[in-house]
Every structure is written in structure tokens, then in C-alpha cells.
Amino acid sequence: AFAFDGNGNGNGDGGQACLAEEEEDDEETEDDRPFRLADSRLYPERCLATSQIITPNSLVVIFESFDSLSFAYATPGQAFSNRNGHFAHDDFIGKPYGCKIRSRSSGGLGYVYLLRPTPELWTRSLPHRTQIIHELDAAVIVCQLNLRPNCLVCESGTGSGSMSHSILRTVAPRGKLHTYEFNKTRVLEARDDFRKNGVGHLVDVHWRDVCGKVDAIGVGAESGAKAAAITNGTATDPENQTRIEKGGFGLGPAKAHAIFLDLPEPWLAVPHAAHTIVPGGRLGSYSPCIEQSQRLITSIKEHGFHSVRTIEVRLKEHHVDEIELEPPPFGRLPRDPPSQAPVPAAAAAAK
């Protein structure tokens, strides 16, 4: 379900360039304003480095087969092994992305392709800590939330970080993602993934219960025990944080241009989202059951949102089979002579 904040009609542009254009156009009339396109020269940077060569510690997506992808961080002295053989990381370093590498075992018969990471490829190869949002749904979510470079986005339900990487690619180079997770183990693992993948500067991972449930728990990274206390406050470093933060996003009023909820009870976070989102911002939620969507929409309308839409995305595969058809008759077909009307019996006798 997607909804707009009903507190205003602002567009929530996150970039300084867009704000500057609006200030310059303040004296123009509505009819004099030209149609403006985004200048791509203002966004030369991206989420990940633009290098085409694999360097030490680079993230590499390893293509084994159409339905089997893995990943590795190119580390000198280490190796990647699968059923096709053993592949030394030293053979990765210095090679361009997209190249074909043969194994050092089995006489070099086994091979893999080294692909440059993208959010879609990372989604297909990442370690699943929770159920993830796949690339088809992620594309629709990013489009419906109207994300663009330099936005500030809040995401509740970090999980495995699949959706986070799609958001980060869109808000780069100077945007910011605040992602929230109640499980401390997943918080620390997500922070480590973002740092290794080169997008840690674009994201803050919070150990926080956005819904503010009284029985919220925080799972420790080592002990796995329930946190005994819950406190209110701003986000701190999860590695040094001993208690989970409770309720809301902790950013203040009207800060986020878009908010995305991937929670079992998203309606509990709607009041906090209405406080944090900018006027005209968009709120999105991902739910597997229609009953969850119905309850969420009721809460959304109660807190001043409008233009609610519920979208179901279905993937349909088309299988192509090769069959033989009879050749069409390319020759000229004979035309039947015109039929003559039957002659009446009396007229025939007169003749």
C-alpha cells in the first residue's frame, strides 16, 4: 500500500540543486516556468565505485549458472570453491568485471564469470537472514515511493538488506537511508555488509523498535538473550548500545521524504511515520496478506494520508516451445467459375 501525506503538497525534493532551481523560479509565473529535466552532470557519483577492474577486497558476484549465484570479497591468498573446481582470489584481482575465470583444478575445465555487483545481483546472491524483497517488487516500490538522488528515506525492517541496497542506489550520491531493525544480531551483520559493499556512508542502521510495542525485544549479538530494558532516545552505535530504543524513528518532525515499512504489524508504525514524513511525502508498506493491508489502510486514513493505492505484482513466465507448422500455400489458388442461377423448368421447356 502506498499513500501520500495529507499535510501539504510539497514535493519533498532532497537535492540542493533542485531546491536552488525552485528558489530561482519563485518570481516566475506558473505559465512562464519551462519544463525542467534533471541535469545528470550534477550526479557524477554512484553507490559503488565505477572501477571496471577488480581490486583487493572488492565485492564480486560469481555467476555459476543461470539459477546459481554466489559472492566473494577478493582477498589475496584465499579461494572460492564449488562443484566446478577451486578458484583463487589472486586470479580475480586485476581482471575486469565480466571476465571468465577457469579453475586451478580439474585441468581448468570448470569456469565461472565474475560480475560487477548491482542491487539485483546482490539480492540473488546474498545470505538470507530473513525473507527478502526480490528485484521485481523492489523496482515497483522504488518507483511508487518516488525516490530520487539525495532523498532522505526511512526503512523499518532491515532484515537481510536486500531492499536497502535498491534504495541506496537511488538516493546516491548524497542521500541518506535510515534503516531500523529490532534484532541486534541482524543490525550488526547489516552494518558489516554495508561497510564491505562500499555504501556505509549512505546508511545509518538503528537498533530500534519503530512500532513502540511494550513487549519489544532486542536479541544480543553474542548471548541471544532478550534485552531487559527498553528506553526512548536518539539512535546510538549498536555495537556500544546495551538497550533497544523504543518507538518512532528518532529523527524529529518532517524529516523523511519517504518511509517504507516491512513489518508484520505496520499499522503500529503509521502514527510515528506521520510525524516524521515531510508534507507531500510518500509512505509504503509491504505485506503478504490482504488482511494486513486492510488494517494498515484504516490506520493510514486516520492519520491524514490520502491517495491510497494497493498494488499486487505478479511475475508470469512465458515458455517458448519450438514446433513445426505446415508451410503456407504460396502459389496462386485457382478461382472457381461463377455459379449460374438454376433455370426454371417451364422456361427450359419453352426453349
Side-chain angles (χ1 to χ4, degrees):
F2 300 90
F4 297 89
D5 185 12
N7 297 327
N9 56 3
N11 56 14
D13 287 334
Q16 296 180 356
C18 295
L19 293 177
E21 287 183 1
E22 291 179 358
E23 292 176 359
E24 294 173 359
D25 293 337
D26 285 340
E27 297 180 358
E28 298 178 2
T29 63
E30 194 169 336
D31 296 335
D32 295 334
R33 294 179 182 177
F35 180 77
R36 295 184 181 272
L37 297 176
D39 189 354
S40 60
R41 293 175 297 177
L42 300 176
Y43 310 105
E45 305 172 22
R46 294 294 180 266
C47 273
L48 300 175
T50 57
S51 174
Q52 300 295 331
I53 304 299
I54 301 173
T55 58
N57 300 320
S58 295
L59 173 62
V60 180
V61 177
I62 302 174
F63 181 91
E64 304 174 51
S65 63
F66 178 76
D67 57 351
S68 179
L69 277 75
S70 301
F71 73 95
Y73 296 97
T75 306
Q78 294 189 5
F80 171 79
S81 299
N82 62 4
R83 62 184 180 180
N84 298 325
H86 303 285
F87 303 87
H89 287 193
D90 293 330
D91 296 340
F92 296 0
I93 299 173
K95 298 294 194 304
Y97 285 107
C99 67
K100 181 179 181 180
I101 297 294
R102 292 195 174 273
S103 65
R104 290 190 175 185
S105 60
S106 305
L109 296 178
Y111 62 89
V112 295
Y113 291 95
L114 307 181
L115 304 182
R116 186 178 175 183
T118 64
E120 291 77 18
L121 293 177
W122 176 249
T123 297
R124 295 182 58 185
S125 60
L126 59 79
H128 288 199
R129 294 183 287 269
T130 60
Q131 292 184 350
I132 65 173
I133 298 177
H134 289 275
E135 56 269 20
L136 180 64
D137 293 324
V140 176
I141 291 170
V142 169
C143 177
Q144 293 297 326
L145 289 179
N146 197 23
L147 302 185
R148 52 206 174 278
N150 305 339
C151 285
L152 191 149
V153 183
C154 291
E155 175 198 21
S156 182
T158 307
S160 301
S162 170
M163 186 65 207
S164 302
H165 282 81
S166 296
I167 295 175
L168 290 173
R169 177 178 59 183
T170 309
V171 303
R174 287 173 288 275
K176 195 70 174 181
L177 170 65
H178 293 271
T179 181
Y180 301 81
E181 175 63 49
F182 82 97
N183 185 295
K184 187 174 183 181
T185 301
R186 293 199 288 263
V187 169
L188 298 178
E189 291 177 348
R191 292 180 76 246
D192 189 55
D193 288 343
F194 294 139
R195 177 184 58 82
K196 290 182 178 180
N197 295 348
V199 294
H201 62 292
L202 296 173
V203 57
D204 285 340
V205 187
H206 304 258
W207 182 28
R208 191 182 187 97
D209 172 35
V210 173
C211 296
K213 297 176 63 176
V214 177
D215 58 346
I217 62 172
V219 181
E222 294 83 10
S223 63
K226 294 183 179 180
I230 299 174
T231 181
N232 290 308
T234 57
T236 58
D237 187 355
E239 293 182 352
N240 302 323
Q241 187 179 346
T242 59
R243 295 181 295 181
I244 187 172
E245 296 174 340
K246 169 179 173 290
F249 295 90
L251 301 179
K255 296 294 185 181
H257 301 103
I259 295 177
F260 176 67
L261 307 175
D262 185 9
L263 302 169
E265 298 176 314
W267 51 88
L268 298 178
V270 171
H272 307 293
H275 174 75
T276 305
I277 201 167
V278 299
R282 296 193 179 188
L283 170 66
S285 178
Y286 187 78
S287 300
C289 302
I290 190 62
E291 292 80 9
Q292 291 173 303
S293 298
Q294 291 173 335
R295 191 166 179 179
L296 171 66
I297 291 172
T298 301
S299 179
I300 283 176
K301 293 181 178 179
E302 291 175 352
H303 290 86
F305 290 91
H306 64 88
S307 303
V308 182
R309 298 180 61 192
T310 302
I311 301 175
E312 181 182 10
V313 183
R314 300 181 66 88
L315 177 63
K316 183 178 180 181
E317 296 184 359
H318 296 272
H319 299 277
V320 180
D321 294 330
E322 184 177 351
I323 60 174
E324 294 185 1
L325 299 176
E326 295 182 1
F330 293 104
R332 187 172 182 179
L333 298 178
R335 303 183 67 178
D336 296 334
S339 59
Q340 296 182 355
V343 180
K351 287 180 180 180

